Amino acid sequence: PFLPLNACPLSQGSTCLSKGVGQKKWARPTMSISDAELSAVTAEVDAWASKNVRALDALSEEHRAAIDELEGNSSSLSQQQLELDDALSHRSDAAKQAQRVVAGLVSQLEQLDVEQQQLPAKRAEIERVIDQESQSLASVQRAITEQEATGERRSVELAKGTSMYRKWLGLAFERVGGDRLR
């Protein structure tokens, strides 16, 4: 094969043909190597190449095994990520639901607090109404008691008057309607 003259270590003693600055012309090296030396070098190169091919094959197998393991790990991690995302989604939904419940309870608590603040005023109003009703009831009871007493006195007076007229005049009276006598 043709090699650049300065690149081949076996080119000692050959001449480099130049074409110009920075350009090289290819030339066939002129060497003399015996068949035994060539066979020995070829055997060494073949042994070296075989050794390196086996090492590269072993390294390639190791890398393939590592890649397979990483792909398995990646698949497992992807599955775990999906499970975690699903769990997070459920927890997030549960947290949102809990926040809605808490917001509802806070609203109810605020409403109860407002109602509790209004209780003293409502209690005072109820007590005022009860006092008014008690006073009204007391005055109605007094009026009823007075009417009963007046009615009883009148009834007693009428009975007295009737018995007096009967006794002194010998007259008999008949009741005509409610309070009238004839």
Side-chain angles (χ1 to χ4, degrees):
F2 293 97
L3 299 170
L5 292 177
N6 64 351
C8 181
L10 301 175
S11 65
Q12 298 163 356
S14 356
T15 58
C16 178
L17 305 171
S18 295
K19 220 175 166 190
V21 178
Q23 294 180 344
K24 295 182 182 171
K25 186 174 182 185
W26 299 96
R28 185 178 295 264
T30 55
M31 297 191 240
S32 62
I33 297 177
S34 68
D35 285 339
E37 288 176 337
L38 185 59
S39 292
V41 169
T42 302
E44 275 184 51
V45 169
D46 285 344
W48 175 83
S50 294
K51 177 182 160 189
N52 283 334
V53 165
R54 282 191 305 275
L56 288 175
D57 285 344
L59 186 61
S60 177
E61 283 301 315
E62 286 176 18
H63 285 184
R64 279 193 187 116
I67 287 171
D68 290 344
E69 183 180 344
L70 289 174
E71 285 176 350
N73 289 343
S74 175
S75 175
S76 174
L77 289 174
S78 294
Q79 182 62 32
Q80 288 177 355
Q81 182 66 40
L82 289 174
E83 290 171 2
L84 288 174
D85 289 345
D86 189 43
L88 179 62
S89 173
H90 287 353
R91 293 247 164 82
S92 177
D93 291 345
K96 287 177 185 175
Q97 178 64 24
Q99 286 175 342
R100 285 192 291 271
V101 168
V102 167
L105 291 174
V106 166
S107 174
Q108 287 177 354
L109 184 60
E110 288 171 351
Q111 184 179 3
L112 288 173
D113 190 40
V114 167
E115 289 177 10
Q116 184 180 11
Q117 290 174 0
Q118 294 173 349
L119 284 178
K122 285 182 179 180
R123 181 178 180 178
E125 177 65 23
I126 290 171
E127 287 175 350
R128 186 184 60 77
V129 168
I130 288 173
D131 286 345
Q132 286 178 349
E133 292 297 320
S134 294
Q135 290 172 0
S136 176
L137 181 62
S139 70
V140 166
Q141 284 177 338
R142 281 191 304 268
I144 289 173
T145 304
E146 264 181 49
Q147 273 186 339
E148 286 176 350
T150 302
E152 211 172 295
R153 275 187 306 222
R154 194 170 174 206
S155 180
V156 168
E157 287 178 15
L158 284 174
K160 221 184 199 180
T162 305
S163 70
M164 233 184 352
Y165 275 117
R166 276 190 197 161
K167 189 174 169 187
W168 289 345
L169 299 174
L171 298 173
F173 293 97
E174 292 177 11
R175 192 169 288 276
V176 183
D179 291 335
R180 294 181 30 195
L181 295 175
R182 183 173 80 167

